[in-house]
Amino acid sequence: MKYMGNFFSLPNEIFLLGLSPGELSVYCYLRRCENQKTHQCWPSYKTIGEAVGMCANTVSRYVKKLEEHGLIVVEPTKVTTKAGVTRNGTLQFTLLPPQNVIARHYEEKLAELEVATERRRVQKHLEKQTEKSPCSPA
């Protein structure tokens, strides 16, 4: 019998984004929970924390960081009770395509490289200018 158990995929490039171990743990847990069709899941901070060995406040901080990275969107949900009272529900996590974040990461790195290259070019140009016209003694 071939076991086709529970698993989730994670692009290798996710490790290039500089996520902290905590951010990576929370992200992986959300990927594990996500509905493959809707890319959404609804675990509580407490549930995530129990799964990855963190308190709910720490999970909350890492979730905010993942939102800043553009990997997830978090939205509160509302629940209407039988009595017709609307209350806060669980948080809805939507996992965004990591390819967008990875592409942005590569674009930022390329821009940094272009700036560094331009700095080197200007520095060499200035060095050549200094060699050609040394300062005369006053």
Side-chain angles (χ1 to χ4, degrees):
M1 181 165 94
K2 188 174 181 182
Y3 179 70
M4 299 296 288
N6 234 351
F7 69 93
F8 64 94
S9 64
L10 191 63
N12 293 337
E13 290 87 353
I14 204 79
F15 295 100
L16 300 176
L17 300 178
L19 299 178
S20 71
E23 291 167 339
L24 191 57
S25 295
V26 171
Y27 181 71
C28 286
Y29 185 77
L30 293 173
R31 289 290 299 243
R32 177 191 176 275
C33 295
E34 85 175 307
N35 176 308
Q36 294 297 308
K37 291 180 182 174
T38 65
H39 303 288
Q40 296 175 335
C41 57
W42 299 265
S44 67
Y45 288 153
K46 181 181 176 186
T47 300
I48 297 168
E50 288 171 355
V52 298
M54 298 174 194
C55 70
N57 287 338
T58 302
V59 169
S60 173
R61 278 198 321 265
Y62 288 134
V63 164
K64 284 181 178 60
K65 290 285 192 180
L66 293 170
E67 281 186 289
E68 289 170 10
H69 284 293
L71 289 167
I72 64 172
V73 173
V74 183
E75 299 171 286
T77 61
K78 300 285 183 189
V79 176
T80 304
T81 65
K82 289 180 182 177
V85 178
T86 302
R87 296 192 174 178
N88 289 335
T90 59
L91 293 175
Q92 175 180 287
F93 297 90
T94 303
L95 283 79
L96 304 173
Q99 292 79 5
N100 297 344
V101 176
I102 292 164
R104 188 174 71 235
H105 172 75
Y106 283 133
E107 289 169 4
E108 289 170 0
K109 292 297 178 189
L110 182 59
E112 289 171 12
L113 183 60
E114 288 171 350
V115 167
T117 301
E118 181 62 17
R119 274 194 193 122
R120 279 190 221 109
R121 188 190 69 72
V122 168
Q123 185 178 10
K124 285 183 181 182
H125 177 73
L126 290 174
E127 287 170 1
K128 286 181 183 177
Q129 293 293 353
T130 304
E131 289 171 8
K132 289 180 183 176
S133 58
C135 295
S136 50

